[in-house]
Amino acid sequence: MAKPEITKDILIEELVNNYPFSVRYLMEKGIRCIMCGEPIWGTLEEAAKEKDFSDEAIEGFVNEMRALAAKGEQDPMPEKKVDVKKLGEK
């Protein structure tokens, strides 16, 4: 199955599951996509807008993450991956 394209409309859950490097990338931008063990729901754009990022900045995030994905960027700590699907299970 092909990975979804990184766009401003990608759901955070899809982004994190398909592009693990995105967790660190977004944290470095001040956008936490996992807080207190709970994933943040919604789209990349919604999460960025909550932090007052402009449309231009969001487009920059999308382009940078696409470039990282194209280079095959890997999560530097694969043993620390979080399965966001399991976070919602009780």
Side-chain angles (χ1 to χ4, degrees), residues 8-87:
K8 67 180 184 175
D9 299 315
I10 191 170
L11 294 173
I12 293 293
E13 180 180 13
E14 287 181 310
L15 183 63
V16 170
N17 279 331
N18 289 285
Y19 303 98
F21 70 84
S22 65
V23 174
R24 183 177 304 273
Y25 176 89
L26 293 174
M27 284 182 64
E28 289 173 359
K29 301 295 182 187
I31 302 170
R32 303 215 188 285
C33 46
I34 299 179
M35 293 175 47
C36 302
E38 291 294 322
I40 300 297
W41 306 114
T43 66
L44 173 58
E45 180 179 39
E46 291 167 343
K49 289 284 185 175
E50 286 179 11
K51 297 295 183 179
D52 296 321
F53 283 102
S54 68
D55 292 337
E56 294 79 19
I58 296 166
E59 191 61 34
F61 298 162
V62 168
N63 291 334
E64 287 178 9
M65 285 192 286
R66 283 180 180 166
L68 290 170
K71 288 187 343 187
E73 190 71 24
Q74 298 295 316
D75 187 335
M77 299 186 312
E79 70 281 359
K80 300 287 184 183
K81 287 184 184 175
V82 174
D83 185 348
V84 294
K85 290 178 184 174
K86 289 184 178 180
L87 290 175

